Amino acid sequence: MRAKQMPSSILTRSKSPVILLFAVTILALSFFFFFLFSPSSTTTAAVTVPYRHPSVRPETSFVASLEHFLAHKAPKIPASSDDTVGSVIDHDVRRLDERKFVKEMEWLRGDPYYPMSMPVRVYVYEMPSKFTYDLLWLFRKTYRETSNLTSNGSPVHRLIEQHSIDYWLWADLIAPESERLLKNVVRVVKQEEADLFYVPFFTTISFFLLEKQQCKALYREALKWVTDQPAWKRSEGRDHIFPIHHPWSFKSVRRYVKNAIWLLPDMDSTGNWYKPGQVSLEKDLILPYVPNVDLCDAKCLLESESKRTTLLFFRGRLKRNAGGKIRAKIGAELTGAKDVVIEEGTAGEGGKAAAQKGMRRSIFCLSPAGDTPSSARLFDAIVSGCIPVIISDELELPFEGILDYRKMAVFISSTDAVQPGWILRYLKSISSTQIREMRRNLAEYSRHFVYSNPAQPLGPEDLVWRMMAGKLVNIKLHTRRSQRVVKESRSVCTCDCRRSNSTHSNPIN
C-alpha cells in the first residue's frame, strides 16, 4: 500500500529551519505549561505532601490533649441519634440483620471495590458516662498524685498514658467531621451502615483507678450492656472492637468477648496473659504503646547526630517476669562494657528525662522483652532516633503487615543475645553507612508511632483503620457463616423437638 502523499505546501514550509525551530519551541513551551498547571500535577503534589489541618496544631501529649478535650470538647459534642436498645429480643436482631443485608446489597451493586472499599464505616456506641466520661474525669482529677504506684513501683498514671490508645481513637472518631483529618474512616449513626462497632470503654483507667471489686462490677456491667445490643447478638461480637491494651485490663470477663476484635500491645503467645483461643493475628490488632519520651524531630536528629557517642543504651528494670527474665542475663553481660550504658530506672518524671537524654546520645537502644514480649521502650527508641535492638523471640509488632521493621531495627535471638560478647561484636560489625540509612528510616517511620489530636494521616490511628479494612472480609464471612449454622441448628432442633413431643404424646407411634 502506498503511503499518503503529503501536500507540497507543507513540504515547502518544513524546509525552512527557522520556522521549524519556532514551531518546536512553541510546542515545548505548551507542554511545559500544560504539565505545570494541569490538575494531575496538583494531585501528585497533594499526595506527596501530607495533608495537615491549616489552623490546628496536633497535640501529642495525652494529659494536655485530655485537658483540652474535657474543658472544651466533651460538653459540646452533639448527641447523635443512637439506635441501640436496652432489652433485645430475636425480632430486634432479625430486623437489624435485614436492614444490614439491604445496605450490603446496595454496596455490592454500587461500589466496585466492596467489601475492600474505603473509608471504613464505624458505629461508635454511646455508652453511659460511667464507662467513658466519668473515667476520663477520674484520671483528670488524680493524675498529679505521683505517689500512686503499682505493686512493682511503676507510676499508675504513666502506665495509663502508655496504654491510652482507647482515648486517642475515640477522640478522633467522635470529633466533628470538619475537624478530622483522617479520610479512611468515617463515623456512621445507623447500625445497618456500619462495617465495625467501636466500644468506648476505658478498661485500663478503670483497672488502675478503681477498687478491685468496684472495677470487676463495672466490667460486668459493661459486658452486659454491650452483649445486649442487637448488633452484638447478630455477629456474636465479631465486628466489635474492644480496646484492651493493658494485658491486665478487662481480664475477669474477657473470655465472654473472645470473638471480638481486641486492640492489644502484643499477642503474648507464651500464654502468660491471654488464655489459648482468646487472641490471634487473624482477628485482633496490635497497637504501639504511647511513647514515654518526646519526639526527636528533624532538627533534633540533626543536632544530636554528633552527640551519639554511646554505642548501646538501656534504662529500665532488669528484673522482669516470664520472657523478660532475659533482661537480667543481658544486663550482667553488658554492664561495664566500653561505650555501653546499662541503668536500672523507673518510669517517673526523673526516669523519663534520663531515658530521653540517654537515647538521644546513643546509636543503638536495647529493647528486650518485658513481662510481655513487647515493651514501651521500643517506641521510645523509635521516636528518639535510636536504632532499636530487639531481643524478643515471641514478639509480634504493630502494623507489621505494612511496615518493614528490618529497615530501622536490629533483631537478635535470645539464644545469641546471652552468648558472651555476641551482641557487641554484632553491633560493631554494622557499617556507618547502614547506621545512617537506618536512622533516616527511623526519622521517616516515627510518624507512625506518635498519637495525636487531631489524628494525623499516616499516624497510628490512621494505620489502625488501614489494617482493619483488611479484616472486613473475614469478619463478614464468619458472621454470615455463624448465622447460617445457628439458624439451621435451631430449625433442626425445632423439628426434632416437635417430632419428639409427638412421639411422647402418642405411645402407639
Side-chain angles (χ1 to χ4, degrees), residues 269-281:
S269 54
T270 61
N272 291 308
W273 303 104
Y274 309 112
K275 300 297 182 184
Q278 287 186 348
V279 297
S280 71
L281 284 174

Side-chain angles (χ1 to χ4, degrees), residues 117-296:
S117 57
M118 298 290 277
V120 176
R121 295 166 285 252
V122 179
Y123 182 91
V124 182
Y125 281 119
E126 293 188 2
M127 300 182 74
S129 62
K130 61 184 175 182
F131 302 119
T132 55
Y133 291 106
D134 291 357
L135 292 170
L136 291 179
W137 277 112
L138 178 61
F139 177 88
R140 162 65 180 80
K141 294 172 183 176
T142 61
Y143 75 85
R144 289 189 175 90
E145 297 177 8
T146 56
S147 60
N148 191 357
L149 304 175
T150 63
S151 57
N152 64 9
S154 298
V156 163
H157 295 89
R158 178 68 64 186
L159 287 173
I160 291 173
E161 290 180 55
Q162 280 183 205
H163 298 279
S164 61
I165 57 100
D166 42 17
Y167 165 76
W168 296 107
L169 289 173
W170 184 59
D172 175 64
L173 286 172
I174 66 174
E177 198 60 33
S178 60
E179 297 179 11
R180 298 185 64 251
L181 304 184
L182 302 190
K183 304 305 179 186
N184 59 359
V185 58
V186 61
R187 181 187 182 186
V188 297
V189 296
K190 293 182 179 180
Q191 293 192 3
E192 63 265 25
E193 296 178 350
D195 297 310
L196 299 166
F197 295 78
Y198 185 81
V199 181
F201 177 39
F202 293 96
T203 59
T204 301
I205 294 178
S206 50
F207 175 81
F208 280 112
L209 298 186
L210 297 180
E211 295 294 332
K212 186 175 182 180
Q213 295 308 316
Q214 185 184 10
C215 176
K216 285 187 176 182
L218 192 65
Y219 282 173
R220 290 193 296 270
E221 289 181 52
L223 175 70
K224 185 179 188 308
W225 194 95
V226 173
T227 56
D228 273 351
Q229 305 307 319
W232 178 278
K233 292 183 180 296
R234 174 184 173 272
S235 68
E236 297 180 342
R238 287 182 173 86
D239 50 7
H240 282 56
I241 301 171
F242 265 93
I244 312 178
H245 199 257
H246 193 281
W248 297 342
S249 64
F250 218 52
K251 194 171 184 179
S252 59
V253 297
R254 61 191 181 197
R255 63 184 180 276
Y256 300 110
V257 296
K258 64 181 181 180
N259 287 337
I261 303 165
W262 294 6
L263 304 182
L264 304 166
D266 57 51
M267 288 286 109
D268 184 29
S269 54
T270 61
N272 291 308
W273 303 104
Y274 309 112
K275 300 297 182 184
Q278 287 186 348
V279 297
S280 71
L281 284 174
E282 180 183 4
K283 74 176 186 69
D284 301 317
L285 191 61
I286 300 168
L287 269 64
Y289 291 69
V290 177
N292 281 325
V293 299
D294 301 327
L295 172 67
C296 186

Side-chain angles (χ1 to χ4, degrees), residues 359-375:
M359 287 184 170
R360 292 186 181 186
R361 292 185 174 182
S362 303
I363 300 171
F364 297 99
C365 284
L366 191 64
S367 181
D371 288 343
T372 62
S374 65
S375 169

Side-chain angles (χ1 to χ4, degrees), residues 456-508:
Q456 300 294 300
L458 296 182
E461 302 93 337
D462 186 359
L463 298 193
V464 164
W465 302 114
R466 295 181 189 231
M467 296 289 286
M468 285 291 182
K471 295 180 180 292
L472 288 181
V473 174
N474 260 347
I475 290 169
K476 293 177 185 295
L477 167 66
H478 287 297
T479 297
R480 286 295 178 195
R481 186 178 183 279
S482 64
Q483 287 176 324
R484 172 171 55 81
V485 171
V486 170
K487 183 178 179 181
E488 291 181 358
S489 297
R490 286 174 178 169
S491 300
V492 171
C493 178
T494 302
C495 294
D496 288 344
C497 289
R498 288 174 179 171
R499 190 179 299 112
S500 176
N501 290 337
S502 175
T503 304
H504 285 293
S505 61
N506 189 350
I508 295 176

Side-chain angles (χ1 to χ4, degrees), residues 394-411:
E394 305 293 337
L395 181 62
E396 303 287 353
L397 294 161
F399 317 131
E400 199 167 357
I402 52 180
L403 298 182
D404 188 352
Y405 283 80
R406 297 171 301 173
K407 303 292 186 182
M408 61 168 182
V410 173
F411 292 85

Side-chain angles (χ1 to χ4, degrees), residues 320-340:
R320 303 304 279 177
N321 299 314
K325 291 179 180 178
I326 194 174
R327 283 192 187 184
K329 296 179 181 178
I330 296 174
E333 165 67 22
L334 295 174
T335 299
K338 184 181 178 182
D339 298 328
V340 174

Side-chain angles (χ1 to χ4, degrees), residues 290-305:
V290 177
N292 281 325
V293 299
D294 301 327
L295 172 67
C296 186
D297 58 18
K299 179 183 178 183
C300 166
L301 286 170
L302 185 62
E303 292 174 349
S304 66
E305 185 75 26

